[in-house]
Amino acid sequence: MHSSNKYPGFVCVGLFLLSTIGTSLAVECEDANVPEAEPVTKEQAIKFVEEQFAYYFTDCEKYVETYAKKFEYCDFAPPGIRTNPVTGCVSKEDGLLELCLATQGSPTNIYQLDTVPSFAGLTPSYNEIAIKGFQKVTGVPFPDPVTGIVSIFDFCFDFVVVESLQAAPESELDVETSYWKGYFGTEFCGVPGLPACRCDSMTPIASYNFS
């Protein structure tokens, strides 16, 4: 009786050699010519990032549409929205929409938004990018993790977002993301008892008032 499985190339070579010396294993190899992902251009990536950030503060439904059908959003998210409680990531559209809508009514200034490629050898790749930025959000309700009492703060923060992009010719921006991972350092400011926001002395490159 023969058993048949499809094996990746490096395993297949060894099993094929075994099959030539009298084993009863039927060896079927995976196709080695798997097409590479279509590259995202620098211009596409920069435009996508600018529009994606604008959507987050102006149109949450369009923001959600910038994600692929299968995605992970790994950034600050309340426990009730997290799809994976261990990683803290969100992978459902309704959770991502709820998270976006939580910023409604919070005016936002963007002071920096730079899109940086990864590298495969000496070749830049805009399919895997990092976004460096600086931002201020005004009037954000923030619950105390111990007491649950909600206070209203302004805050400035540096951030880096890592995204995995893929070409999507059927989408509005020709690009979509399957992965978002955020890193940031937060400075609470601008309310009695706290210092002035250091970003108030800076000139924003974009301002949004999602109301």
Side-chain angles (χ1 to χ4, degrees):
M1 183 175 179
H2 287 69
S3 62
S4 178
N5 293 288
K6 183 170 285 191
Y7 298 94
F10 69 94
V11 176
C12 189
V13 171
L15 292 177
F16 179 77
L17 291 174
L18 287 175
S19 72
T20 63
I21 58 175
T23 69
S24 59
L25 180 66
V27 179
E28 184 181 1
C29 298
E30 288 184 345
D31 184 0
N33 299 316
V34 177
E36 294 184 1
E38 184 177 343
V40 174
T41 67
K42 176 180 179 179
E43 293 74 20
Q44 285 177 320
I46 291 173
K47 178 182 177 183
F48 176 83
V49 167
E50 290 174 349
E51 294 293 335
Q52 188 183 42
F53 271 74
Y55 287 156
Y56 191 86
F57 300 108
T58 60
D59 190 330
C60 284
E61 290 188 359
K62 280 186 174 282
Y63 176 75
V64 173
E65 289 175 2
T66 66
Y67 284 77
K69 290 183 179 179
K70 292 185 178 180
F71 71 88
E72 275 197 313
Y73 174 94
C74 304
D75 207 328
F76 179 79
I81 296 179
R82 298 172 187 170
T83 309
N84 187 325
V86 177
T87 63
C89 298
V90 178
S91 58
K92 292 184 178 180
E93 289 186 354
D94 56 350
L96 189 61
L97 180 62
E98 182 179 349
L99 188 64
C100 178
L101 289 171
T103 64
Q104 189 167 358
S106 299
T108 298
N109 288 335
I110 300 288
Y111 300 92
Q112 178 188 4
L113 194 65
D114 298 330
T115 300
V116 182
S118 59
F119 274 79
L122 298 177
T123 305
S125 170
Y126 284 87
N127 289 68
E128 302 290 336
I129 61 171
I131 305 157
K132 301 188 300 179
F134 194 71
Q135 177 179 348
K136 178 185 177 182
V137 183
T138 303
V140 178
F142 198 86
D144 185 287
V146 177
T147 65
I149 297 174
V150 176
S151 300
I152 304 298
F153 290 98
D154 298 346
F155 63 96
C156 294
F157 58 96
D158 304 275
F159 64 83
V160 173
V161 174
V162 175
E163 286 201 76
S164 295
L165 305 185
Q166 57 196 43
E170 72 286 353
S171 69
E172 179 182 346
L173 299 175
D174 296 323
V175 176
E176 61 189 11
T177 183
S178 61
Y179 183 73
W180 168 299
K181 174 69 173 179
Y183 305 85
F184 55 91
T186 302
E187 171 196 342
F188 290 97
C189 56
V191 294
L194 293 177
C197 296
R198 60 190 171 106
C199 49
D200 285 345
S201 61
M202 303 169 65
T203 302
I205 60 173
S207 297
Y208 306 102
N209 191 344
F210 188 175
S211 57

